[in-house]
Amino acid sequence: MTATFLITGVTGFIGFPILVAALAGGHTVRYMARTEEKARAVSSHPAVRALAPGPRLASVVLPDAAAEGAFDAALQGATHVIRAGSPGPTPGGDPAAHIFQPTVRVAAGLLDAALRAPSVRRVVVTSSIAGNIGAGEPPPPPGVTLSAATRVPPPEPPAPLRFRDAHEAYAAAKAAELRDTDAFVRARQPRFGVAHTCSNGVALALVTGGGAAAAARRTHLRAALAGGAAVPADLGLAAPCDFGALFAVVARAFPRAVAAGVFAPTRAAAAATTLPLAYDSADVERLLGRPLKTLDEAFLDVAAQYLEALGVEKA
Ligand SMILES: NC(=O)c1ccc[n+]([C@@H]2O[C@H](COP(=O)([O-])OP(=O)(O)OC[C@H]3O[C@@H](n4cnc5c(N)ncnc54)[C@H](OP(=O)(O)O)[C@@H]3O)[C@@H](O)[C@H]2O)c1
């Protein structure tokens, strides 16, 4: 079956590989970008051009996705929607205006617009483990496996106007987005399915960084394409990690690169602490048909790619 995707966030780390994978899978892709220049950069990227998508690829330039009715035209004829366009926990600016408000408003606007678009069959929203554990709350007790059932409550409306920092605004936005999406599904009972992926930032960066792994893009595409109740609403995408052990793993696999100084332990790595968090990723493993990579494996993939890019021996 081929789908007509609407994908947001395609200039980003998560969204771009999803766009490429959707095109490579033979699907039609409409994507949103905030400026013409960004749309040109995406459509002319060598990974996109290599697929020669022709009329299967179109862009919609939308400077403000939070504007009233912003998604209406872009959703016409779309069957599957992947929302990976959302501010990250980047410092700078007012966290309420730049992170919390756009995240929550765009999520609500997209779901409302999807109700008005009869072609839409599934919406997948990229969320984060931060929306589950919050910012600044005590870590969950050891042995607790995080899941939709363990979410910290988001701030009650009215929305907070001030946040301590970008991370607090990000965690609150992700928590509010999860709460609002679930409330939307309960209250409006849409004819389309809604799923969110809850990922661990660092682990996700590493598993998606490995060209061989690409767990994130596969999860988003499969979550979008799998039918009906087969896909649950909360998809954990978090590999276990122990930051303190990572350098030793690399040193064992690539001793010559370490001896040559290509890889060297940094002070930041030595000082890193690991929160022992486990997120229930069983549904994603079923969806992918294999276990998620451990952080060690994913890290070794990235290290091997780095050596390959440098043109030095992988040893
Ligand atoms: N990377 C991870 O490890 C990770 C882990 C957990 C969850 N996530 C989630 O995955 C999603 C994508 O993350 P990413 O790592 O791909 O981030 P990224 O590389 O920073 O890309 C963010 C994307 O969102 C768009 N965007 C940012 N603010 C926006 C706004 N106000 N309105 C519309 N579009 C906006 C950006 O467009 P512009 O180019 O126009 O700025 C860009 O395309 C986010 O929801 C993030 O919370 C990521």
Side-chain angles (χ1 to χ4, degrees):
M1 167 210 142
T2 56
T4 298
F5 278 95
L6 174 66
I7 307 178
T8 74
V10 297
T11 53
F13 175 71
I14 304 287
F16 185 71
I18 294 175
L19 173 138
V20 173
L23 287 175
H27 304 291
T28 294
V29 176
R30 193 178 296 157
Y31 70 86
M32 289 173 83
R34 290 202 273 183
T35 65
E36 291 282 357
E37 195 187 353
K38 288 181 183 187
R40 265 196 304 276
V42 169
S43 291
S44 63
H45 190 285
V48 172
R49 283 176 35 189
L51 295 167
R56 286 194 298 120
L57 181 67
S59 61
V60 178
V61 174
L62 187 71
D64 181 10
E68 187 72 30
F71 287 93
D72 284 348
L75 280 172
Q76 292 310 310
T79 54
H80 296 77
V81 183
I82 297 182
R83 180 187 176 216
S86 195
T90 316
D94 169 22
H98 288 109
I99 299 174
F100 186 86
Q101 286 157 16
T103 302
V104 174
R105 283 189 193 147
V106 174
L110 172 61
L111 291 172
D112 276 345
L115 279 180
R116 297 188 288 274
S119 53
V120 173
R121 288 156 60 175
R122 182 167 287 278
V123 177
V124 177
V125 178
T126 300
S127 186
S128 164
I129 207 165
N132 192 291
I133 60 174
E137 277 83 0
V144 168
T145 298
L146 301 176
S147 69
T150 65
R151 287 181 197 154
V152 295
E156 286 301 325
L161 293 175
R162 302 194 77 77
F163 291 96
R164 226 177 19 245
D165 55 26
H167 185 67
E168 189 188 43
Y170 177 76
K174 292 299 191 196
E177 184 186 56
L178 289 171
R179 173 202 60 200
D180 295 352
T181 307
D182 285 353
F184 168 90
V185 171
R186 272 197 309 275
R188 311 297 294 272
Q189 304 201 343
R191 71 196 167 280
F192 51 85
V194 182
H196 2 81
T197 56
C198 284
S199 23
N200 162 343
V202 172
L204 182 55
L206 290 166
V207 292
T208 52
R217 68 162 196 250
R218 286 202 194 112
T219 301
H220 286 83
L221 284 179
R222 288 195 192 174
L225 293 170
V231 176
D234 193 86
L235 295 164
L237 188 57
C241 40
D242 177 359
F243 299 115
L246 282 177
F247 188 79
V249 171
V250 171
R252 267 197 304 279
F254 304 112
R256 285 195 208 157
V258 171
V262 177
F263 298 122
T266 62
R267 234 185 285 163
T273 52
T274 304
L275 276 182
L277 297 180
Y279 200 101
D280 182 357
S281 299
D283 289 328
V284 166
E285 295 187 334
R286 263 195 295 279
L287 197 65
L288 296 178
R290 62 165 175 74
L292 281 180
K293 288 202 163 194
T294 64
L295 190 76
D296 292 4
E297 290 172 282
F299 208 79
L300 288 176
D301 268 1
V302 177
Q305 280 183 46
Y306 183 64
L307 295 175
E308 194 174 304
L310 289 180
V312 301
E313 193 190 0
K314 289 188 220 166

